[in-house]
Structures are given as C-alpha cells and as structure tokens.
Amino acid sequence: LRCQSVSNGTTKRELGVLSAAFNHAIKKHKWRIENPCLKAESPKEPKGRVRYLTHIEAGRLLQVTTSPVGMSGKPLTSQYKSPVLRDFIELALNTGCRKAELLNLKWEHVDFSTRLLRLEQTKSGEWQTVPINEDARQVLVQRMRLRDEVCPQTPWVFFHLTSALNTEVGGRVKDVRKAFSTACRRAGIENFHIQDLRHTFASWLVMEGVPLFEVSKLLRHASIQMTERYAHLAPDYQHDAVASLGFSTRFQHTEKKGGSALPE
C-alpha cells in the first residue's frame, strides 16, 4: 500500500529506518520479538536518472544566459539576466561540481598554481580536490577580475553585484535555481535540472572514451558502481576490451605455421 503513494526508493529507505528501530528495541531493550522487516519484500529502487545536454543544447543554454530573448525573439530587459548564471553553468560543465559545492566555493580554495579546487563542503563531508581545465580557469579569472572591480573583500567566488532585499554587494549567492529554470525554458530545454549539469559533465567524458574508473574519480564517487549508470553512453567500450584478445586469429596463425592444431 505504501508503494502506491510514494516511490520505491522512499519505501525502501523507510523500511530500512523501521528495521533499524526494531533491531534497536531487540538488542537494547530486550524485546522478545522477531524483526518483521526481515521478511518484508524490499521494493527495487530504479537506477539513477541520467539526463544530459548535447553540445548544441549547452551552447544554446549559455547563449540565453548572455543575451536573453523572449518567445518572439526580441531581447529582454536586464532583469531577466542573471549576473552569475553563465559562469555557474560553465564551471559546472567543466568540473562536474554540485550546486552547493560551487556556491560555497571561496577564493582561498582556488589554487591557480596547481589548477585545483579544494572543496570543503562536499556530499561526503570530506575535503576533496577537483582539477581545473582551461575553460574553467578562464571563468575563474573573469570572476576574479569582477571581484577586484566590485568588491575586493568578498571571500566568495559567486557573489552579488548589487544590493537588494536580504542581499548585499559581495554577499554569497545562495541559489540560482529560478534563473536556471527560466534559462532552460527560454532555450527550449525540457526536463533538465541543475544536477543534470553534473550528469552532462560525466556523459561527455564517457562519450569521449574516458574510462569509467577515471570518470568515477573525477565525480568523486564512493564506488565505481555509482558511475556505471553512464556505461551505456560508451557502446564500444566492451568491444575495445576484448579486441586485443584475438584468440581465434592467433590460433589459425599457429595452426598454419606449425602444421597441426592444438590438442583438445
């Protein structure tokens, strides 16, 4: 019945919590019962969603953040243009960072000499590093120049350029969700969320032939299993893996050269 009102993933997590509660009561409070959750059939949780942009879609999305236009094709006023959205999208596409990781990024965590970002607030709760490619470096340099012009003292990479209600110049940008949704709608991109920028980063790498193990490291996944959702985007990887075996070819060559086949 519960599965009819919520997703399988939610049901599975709730069942886990309930099972832990029964185990606690049995071990700590000496309840003389059997954990009923052990016999319950756990629903299958669907594989993680993978939605990514094509390079054409990404270009169109970046274009509307720079020169927003309405449905008629006419330019819109500046109120529709987010001063940070384009830089945010470009960094996300080139680093694979999560939204919170980018919006919490401080200048002290940007190391141009080693071309690394040091992420303090990550999903795992641990310090992690992310390599900076040339496109990401250019975005960061532009933001540093903008910081020096507007508010040299701000510690944030993504900061407010003007003051408004509950915001001040140099203050941290806390969210770009609304501006992002508006940009996707005006770019004609459907069913795409901010988290999907990270999926796009991973998908592009896999389609370029980067091994899943390397992609897993760049995404900072806890296990390779989390990265396998992208495996279908590299349809030739299994063929490449076995192409070097060539057992049949070598067998035929040996048979002709030696005049006899190997015994069965």
Side-chain angles (χ1 to χ4, degrees):
L1 294 179
R2 182 58 173 164
C3 290
Q4 297 177 0
S5 57
V6 298
S7 67
N8 286 353
T10 298
T11 303
K12 188 173 182 178
R13 286 187 288 273
E14 290 179 347
L15 185 62
V17 172
L18 183 59
S19 179
F22 273 106
N23 287 336
H24 177 79
I26 293 171
K27 293 179 180 180
K28 298 295 183 181
H29 299 285
K30 309 302 180 183
W31 283 21
R32 297 181 178 180
I33 61 172
E34 183 180 354
N35 187 341
C37 298
L38 297 178
K39 295 182 178 181
E41 183 178 353
S42 180
K44 293 183 178 180
E45 193 168 356
K47 293 183 178 180
R49 172 180 181 274
V50 176
R51 167 72 167 98
Y52 64 91
L53 294 176
T54 64
H55 289 284
I56 293 177
E57 287 177 322
R60 196 163 69 236
L61 180 59
L62 290 172
Q63 177 62 33
V64 300
T65 63
T66 304
S67 303
V69 295
M71 295 299 182
S72 63
K74 295 181 179 180
L76 299 173
T77 58
S78 58
Q79 65 176 320
Y80 291 97
K81 180 180 177 182
S82 167
V84 303
L85 185 58
R86 182 186 176 95
D87 290 345
F88 173 87
I89 293 174
E90 284 202 74
L91 271 187
L93 289 175
N94 284 283
T95 64
C97 288
R98 303 175 178 88
K99 179 180 73 171
E101 292 170 348
L102 289 179
L103 295 183
N104 284 305
L105 188 63
K106 296 180 179 181
W107 286 112
E108 65 184 277
H109 301 149
V110 179
D111 192 335
F112 285 107
S113 62
T114 60
R115 290 201 171 202
L116 289 174
L117 300 179
R118 294 189 302 115
L119 303 180
E120 180 178 7
Q121 297 185 14
T122 64
K123 190 174 181 179
S124 67
E126 300 176 352
W127 282 88
Q128 297 175 337
T129 58
V130 175
I132 303 172
N133 65 11
E134 181 57 25
D135 286 350
R137 189 192 71 82
Q138 290 183 16
V139 171
L140 290 167
V141 168
Q142 292 172 6
R143 294 211 60 78
M144 178 172 284
R145 290 172 179 169
L146 185 62
R147 178 206 64 178
D148 294 342
E149 293 176 3
V150 178
C151 45
Q153 301 304 318
T154 183
W156 307 107
V157 171
F158 289 99
F159 52 87
H160 288 288
L161 298 177
T162 59
S163 59
L165 182 63
N166 297 325
T167 63
E168 58 182 15
V169 176
R172 181 176 72 89
V173 174
K174 297 181 180 179
D175 204 355
V176 293
R177 182 174 55 84
K178 186 175 181 180
F180 183 81
S181 297
T182 300
C184 286
R185 185 173 66 252
R186 299 196 179 282
I189 298 174
E190 300 179 350
N191 189 31
F192 193 77
H193 311 302
I194 291 180
Q195 174 66 10
D196 295 327
L197 293 172
R198 180 171 164 86
H199 294 323
T200 300
F201 167 82
S203 300
W204 285 357
L205 288 174
V206 173
M207 288 187 287
E208 285 294 325
V210 178
L212 288 180
F213 179 77
E214 296 298 329
V215 176
S216 179
K217 293 299 183 183
L218 290 169
L219 291 174
R220 294 161 282 119
H221 280 164
S223 67
I224 190 67
Q225 284 73 25
M226 299 176 66
T227 318
E228 288 180 346
R229 69 173 71 177
Y230 305 104
H232 69 284
L233 298 174
D236 294 330
Y237 82 100
Q238 291 179 329
H239 295 285
D240 294 338
V242 300
S244 60
L245 292 178
F247 175 77
S248 296
T249 303
R250 288 204 302 269
F251 178 81
Q252 293 171 5
H253 178 73
T254 302
E255 183 179 29
K256 292 178 180 179
K257 184 176 179 180
S260 62
L262 294 175
E264 294 183 359

